[in-house]
Amino acid sequence: MKRLIVTSLAAFALAACGQATSASVPSASPRLANAVINVATNPSLGSVLATDGGRTLYYFTPERGGTIACTGSCAQAWVPFLSPSGLLTTRSALPGTLATIHRPEGVRVTYSEWPLYTFAGDQAPGDAHGQ
């Protein structure tokens, strides 16, 4: 499955999502995680979207508009980026739009209408082996 990585802030092409990071919520509520998204720099690709832990985020071009094509074994290699709380946080200005969609697997994070993923083959922060 070919996936593209976001390579510039002017024209991104992402392809995956990953684990959301924790954020504090009122103590009366169960602890849920916000999805935190940053702009990171990859030496080969330039600017990419990444999780708060530095995992590169990707999208699969046929999925624009919320259609999910990556399921089953595909979703084991391309892990959906979820926001258990349904809340999103950015630490950088983004040229696109972040949103969420509700799916059976949880609240999926989207960027400019593409569901986001992380790639299981990326082991360290900054890896972009899914490109």
Side-chain angles (χ1 to χ4, degrees):
M1 177 175 288
K2 176 120 174 131
R3 294 179 183 270
L4 302 174
I5 241 176
V6 174
T7 58
S8 80
L9 290 178
F12 281 58
L14 295 175
C17 109
Q19 298 297 322
T21 58
S22 63
S24 61
V25 294
S27 59
S29 302
R31 283 189 148 287
L32 295 176
N34 286 10
V36 181
I37 297 160
N38 300 299
V39 175
T41 302
N42 177 282
S44 300
L45 301 170
S47 297
V48 298
L49 292 185
T51 68
D52 211 30
R55 301 275 317 255
T56 301
L57 290 167
Y58 302 85
Y59 71 81
F60 184 39
T61 55
E63 292 187 335
R64 184 152 193 188
T67 300
I68 305 297
C70 183
T71 61
S73 62
C74 174
Q76 291 175 356
W78 296 97
V79 182
F81 187 53
L82 303 176
S83 178
S85 70
L87 300 175
L88 304 172
T89 303
T90 62
R91 302 201 196 286
S92 308
L94 302 174
T97 304
L98 290 173
T100 58
I101 54 174
H102 294 269
R103 301 281 305 159
E105 65 274 14
V107 179
R108 300 282 303 265
V109 178
T110 66
Y111 180 75
S112 294
E113 298 185 35
W114 276 293
L116 298 176
Y117 298 86
T118 57
F119 179 53
D122 290 347
Q123 298 301 308
D127 282 355
H129 301 295
Q131 175 58 32

